[in-house]
Amino acid sequence: MNRSETTRSFTMATWLGWQVESNWTDPFLFAVYVIIKPLASAAILVVMYSIITGGAYNSPLFPYIYLGNAFYTYVGAVMAGVSWAVIDDREHYKTLKYMYIAPINIPFYWLGRGVSRFLIGTVAVIVILTAGVLFLNVPLDLTQVNWGLFFVSLVIGVTMLAMMGLILASITLMVAHHFFLIGEAVAGALYLFSGAIFPLEVLPAWLRPVGYAMPITYWLELMRRSLIGDVAQAFPTLAQYSNLQLLGILLGLTVVFAIVSVFTFRWCDHRARELGLIDRVSNY
Amino acid sequence: MTHFAIETKDLSRIYKIRGNKKEKQIRKELVALENVTLTVERGELFGLLGPNGAGKTTLIKILTTLLAPTSGWARVAGYDVIQHPNLVRPRINMVSGGESSGYGLLTVRENLWMFSQFYGMPSKEANQRIVELLKMVGLEDRIHTKSSDLSTGLRQKMNIVRGFLTDPEVLFLDEPTLGLDVGAARDVRKLIRSWLEADKSRTLLLTTHYMVEAEELCDRVAIINKGRVLACDTPANLKRNLQRDAIFEIETSPLNGLTPQLLQNQPEVRKAALTDIEGGARLELILQEEAALASVINILTQKNVKVRRLTKREPTLEDVFMDLVGQKMEDVEKEEAPHAG
Ligand SMILES: Nc1ncnc2c1ncn2[C@@H]1O[C@H](COP(=O)(O)OP(=O)(O)O)[C@@H](O)[C@H]1O
Ligand SMILES: [Mg+2]
């Protein structure tokens, strides 16, 4: 692998992604998009929670749900951010074929295109967490946070999400335009299977294995534990694992997903070239 | 390293077309390229001339690593496009005309600069070259315009500049002047010539269905129809074979049911084509010898068709095409139009 090729693919794609993402004529609207939208979705969850539990904000279940939902923002942002570039370039800008024949590393290009959504997602997560601490009594104490665990988990987790994004991007190369929501759709489906807003025990037994196979499940648990240690008890099954064990599982699954993403890309790339899909534009 | 810029051997491409929802089982196969064997030397300006649907774009896609051939092989800049796409890509670039690609939210300069960076050009050098090239196509006053604010013609010019910007060993231009007005097309042809003159090792392959463009621009031309290369030579050599023949254009009153086939049945009439014009018809005839004209005039007289104008002319590539295919290129396109995808 040519290092400077991967570097320039990633950095220029990051630049391009930022230009595309921040292309709001009105900075105020951009701020609304970055701040109000995540707050609104968190608010819906809080209202639902208070109706169902009668306002039991002091139960450990509340921070469990609140943090799970907050960090789940990254799932949609990173997966959709990485895979959306394929559709955007092919259908909208009609540049996919020119990117494809350029001397760049396509997976690193896609990863770069996802960076801006990751950054915007980070702002959203910070906004949601701040609102939670200020207005909803989420017991987040910055002096009690296990920062080491937090950052290590965050880095591995985001890498894992990026690998899932690559898998989606590769599949997107093969499918038609009407799958344009594939990133959001997959993120939405996994929301229920990854212990974001309720422990997997709530699911019917035959659906639980999906959740246990998903690295997102372990990652969210690690994020919660690093920020608020005792929330872990709200997730009975994972409670028996130590932080280090969870980290090991997350790392292992991330490696698995990375390997799968490499092979998925190779296969989809090969097939797309055979079928002539690189520059196909759907006629809608 | 081989001295060929492009080399193909028995290159074929078959598209499998799935029927629509009703006829899902029916799978049609469309042969877009059939056993194409070509070589292009370094330094050449090579033209692929053929009607719409001939397979020109398909060939370019294979050569630029966008599409896999069904069989056969191809080498570009010395490397196999299937085995070593990563060695081919840094050495080529490609632009297709007749489409307005590009990031509309970026300015002309940003669009071009970004691509130069993907090719690993030093930023400063790239910026100088962008200005130079934009000047050559008369686009320098738009350098800071968002490309979404450009007309389609100017966008196409920007894209053509993108192709030249990275100074590839082999540049592919797919119908570069398609849809451009006369002046813009001239700018583009000028750019093509001066780029090739500046460095004799540069190679350019362009496709076109404009005969004149192929004739005045290209060192060598391959005439392609229905996926097959019918002839490949310099424009002069291609025409030389017809020089012995006599080519006539006759404008007549309405033909009263006379068909080109009827004329072609005459042994000395090699090819005949017909175009309707106002109040009559124009016949283009390739005759084996001038004397055959008499029998043609005879038939016209018998059918009560009046000759209004008669010209003899030198052969053009259009005539070469007609001689090879038996139809004028525009007539082939009219026939193809209902099926073309
Ligand atoms: N992706 C595709 N799927 C099916 N048929 C195609 C596809 N692309 C091109 N064709 C067909 O292949 C033939 C050659 O097309 P093309 O290479 O675009 O010709 P040209 O560029 O000379 O106009 C045409 O009949 C066209 O309809
Ligand atoms: Mg074409």
Side-chain angles (χ1 to χ4, degrees):
Chain A
M1 196 156 37
N2 180 340
R3 203 188 101 80
S4 78
E5 184 178 293
T6 54
T7 313
R8 69 174 186 252
S9 304
F10 184 78
T11 52
M12 281 316 295
T14 303
W15 178 84
L16 174 61
W18 180 252
Q19 301 295 323
V20 170
E21 211 55 54
S22 63
N23 179 42
W24 294 71
T25 39
D26 189 343
F28 176 72
L29 282 179
F30 184 57
V32 168
Y33 166 73
V34 173
I35 296 166
I36 309 289
K37 212 181 115 203
L39 275 184
S41 65
I44 292 170
L45 197 72
V46 170
V47 169
M48 276 168 38
Y49 176 86
S50 73
I51 291 171
I52 293 168
T53 64
Y57 293 119
N58 290 326
S59 150
L61 194 60
F62 180 67
Y64 174 92
I65 290 177
Y66 197 83
L67 292 183
N69 176 67
F71 283 97
Y72 203 84
T73 309
Y74 276 125
V75 178
V78 175
M79 289 209 303
V82 171
S83 61
W84 176 248
V86 179
I87 292 158
D88 222 18
D89 283 354
R90 183 164 58 192
E91 303 274 345
H92 186 190
Y93 301 115
K94 315 256 191 304
T95 47
L96 182 62
K97 60 177 169 182
Y98 300 123
M99 293 299 176
Y100 189 83
I101 66 160
I104 62 175
N105 182 308
I106 292 283
F108 276 84
Y109 169 78
W110 288 337
L111 292 176
R113 287 291 296 271
V115 168
S116 54
R117 290 259 197 118
F118 163 74
L119 293 176
I120 291 170
T122 302
V123 174
V125 171
I126 293 172
V127 167
I128 296 173
L129 290 183
T130 310
V133 172
L134 292 181
F135 307 117
L136 297 166
N137 265 339
V138 173
L140 178 60
D141 179 353
L142 292 186
T143 60
Q144 299 296 311
V145 170
N146 184 343
W147 289 107
L149 184 65
F150 176 81
F151 281 112
V152 171
S153 306
L154 187 64
V155 168
I156 300 176
V158 170
T159 308
M160 172 268 293
L161 292 174
M163 294 305 124
M164 293 177 82
L166 270 190
I167 294 172
L168 283 184
S170 306
I171 293 168
T172 309
L173 204 55
M174 304 277 306
V175 296
H177 184 205
H178 50 262
F179 284 95
F180 67 99
L181 287 176
I182 186 167
E184 266 93 2
V186 172
L190 291 180
Y191 191 52
L192 302 178
F193 296 114
S194 52
I197 47 167
F198 49 76
L200 296 184
E201 277 66 25
V202 176
L203 289 174
W206 58 277
L207 274 176
R208 285 176 213 161
V210 179
Y212 287 115
M214 278 299 128
I216 300 172
T217 310
Y218 306 94
W219 175 63
L220 289 177
E221 184 63 7
L222 280 163
M223 298 314 286
R224 291 188 193 103
R225 284 194 192 185
S226 65
L227 292 178
I228 308 172
D230 58 359
V231 174
Q233 282 128 29
F235 203 153
T237 332
L238 293 186
Q240 61 187 341
Y241 293 110
S242 70
N243 291 347
L244 219 54
Q245 280 171 324
L246 284 182
L247 212 49
I249 297 172
L250 175 62
L251 192 62
L253 285 175
T254 301
V255 170
V256 170
F257 271 73
I259 293 169
V260 170
S261 77
V262 169
F263 283 102
T264 311
F265 171 73
R266 285 205 189 144
W267 187 81
C268 290
D269 174 51
H270 181 78
R271 282 298 287 163
R273 215 176 142 194
E274 265 182 1
L275 297 172
L277 302 178
I278 311 291
D279 65 337
R280 184 190 56 183
V281 176
S282 36
N283 298 310
Y284 290 94
Chain B
M1 184 177 280
T2 158
H3 60 282
F4 290 123
I6 301 168
E7 223 183 328
T8 76
K9 179 83 172 111
D10 289 332
L11 207 57
S12 297
R13 171 71 207 198
I14 296 168
Y15 288 111
K16 291 200 169 63
I17 304 171
R18 253 177 247 156
N20 57 27
K21 276 180 190 134
K22 267 187 220 153
E23 38 191 50
K24 229 172 201 160
Q25 287 83 343
I26 307 169
R27 278 173 153 250
K28 281 188 228 153
E29 292 202 336
L30 192 149
V31 181
L33 280 184
E34 198 176 344
N35 295 326
V36 170
T37 302
L38 279 178
T39 51
V40 177
E41 309 243 349
R42 282 180 195 269
E44 264 193 307
L45 202 182
F46 190 88
L48 285 174
L49 175 66
N52 280 330
K56 306 182 295 294
T57 300
T58 302
L59 180 54
I60 285 210
K61 283 194 206 171
I62 293 173
L63 296 178
T64 54
T65 77
L66 271 176
L67 182 72
T70 308
S71 61
W73 55 259
R75 281 195 205 111
V76 172
Y79 297 101
D80 189 296
V81 293
I82 291 298
Q83 310 290 319
H84 302 292
N86 291 335
L87 294 173
V88 173
R89 286 173 189 155
R91 296 171 168 83
I92 62 167
N93 207 337
M94 188 263 285
V95 182
S96 357
E99 57 159 49
S100 50
S101 65
Y103 295 91
L105 46 98
L106 301 181
T107 66
V108 171
R109 192 198 69 84
E110 287 168 335
N111 262 296
L112 294 170
W113 175 79
M114 180 185 73
F115 273 99
S116 76
Q117 297 311 292
F118 280 128
Y119 280 80
M121 286 177 84
S123 184
K124 200 173 149 205
E125 186 190 319
N127 278 322
Q128 280 170 1
R129 211 169 144 63
I130 287 167
V131 173
E132 239 169 69
L133 287 165
L134 288 178
K135 270 188 190 146
M136 290 178 77
V137 296
L139 206 60
E140 76 271 26
D141 55 331
R142 302 301 184 92
I143 187 164
H144 297 302
T145 306
K146 272 194 180 189
S147 69
S148 57
D149 294 339
L150 296 179
S151 67
T152 42
L154 294 184
R155 256 185 177 218
Q156 188 161 332
K157 273 188 176 178
M158 175 186 86
N159 277 315
I160 286 170
V161 166
R162 177 178 53 69
F164 287 94
L165 177 60
T166 61
D167 261 335
E169 286 179 36
V170 188
L171 177 58
F172 296 87
L173 300 178
D174 193 4
E175 315 243 10
T177 58
L178 184 72
L180 290 183
D181 63 46
V182 182
R186 199 179 42 223
D187 288 343
V188 169
R189 286 197 284 266
K190 213 173 66 194
L191 180 60
I192 290 173
R193 280 202 202 89
S194 67
W195 183 74
L196 284 169
E197 258 156 38
D199 183 343
K200 293 293 180 200
S201 69
R202 289 170 176 168
T203 310
L204 194 147
L205 181 144
L206 66 81
T207 75
T208 181
H209 63 270
Y210 303 129
M211 300 281 179
V212 187
E213 192 163 277
E215 199 157 345
E216 43 171 79
L217 214 52
C218 299
D219 298 323
R220 281 197 307 142
V221 172
I223 292 180
I224 175 169
N225 189 44
K226 296 206 165 87
R228 305 215 330 239
V229 172
L230 304 175
C232 176
D233 213 328
T234 61
N237 281 345
L238 287 171
K239 289 185 287 185
R240 190 158 300 148
N241 299 329
L242 286 178
Q243 229 106 51
R244 289 170 286 117
D245 306 325
I247 297 169
F248 288 98
E249 248 180 63
I250 310 176
E251 281 182 27
T252 67
S253 63
L255 283 181
N256 301 332
L258 187 74
T259 61
Q261 273 66 40
L262 215 75
L263 291 170
Q264 231 160 272
N265 289 344
Q266 296 294 110
E268 299 94 357
V269 178
R270 284 173 54 114
K271 293 283 148 51
L274 163 78
T275 321
D276 288 320
I277 56 170
E278 218 182 307
R282 180 166 59 230
L283 286 167
E284 282 167 77
L285 304 168
I286 303 179
L287 306 178
Q288 242 147 43
E289 52 190 17
E290 221 165 290
L293 189 62
S295 58
V296 171
I297 303 285
N298 247 338
I299 296 173
L300 292 178
T301 320
Q302 276 167 27
K303 289 270 178 184
N304 223 355
V305 177
K306 296 221 158 50
V307 173
R308 288 184 182 150
R309 221 168 69 121
L310 188 150
T311 32
K312 186 181 180 206
R313 60 171 164 79
E314 287 300 299
T316 63
L317 284 185
E318 178 82 61
D319 302 315
V320 175
F321 185 86
M322 189 162 109
D323 190 47
L324 289 166
V325 176
Q327 269 178 307
K328 288 180 62 167
M329 198 149 97
E330 54 188 80
D331 293 338
V332 175
E333 287 186 354
K334 267 179 221 148
E335 256 177 39
E336 285 290 315
H339 321 289

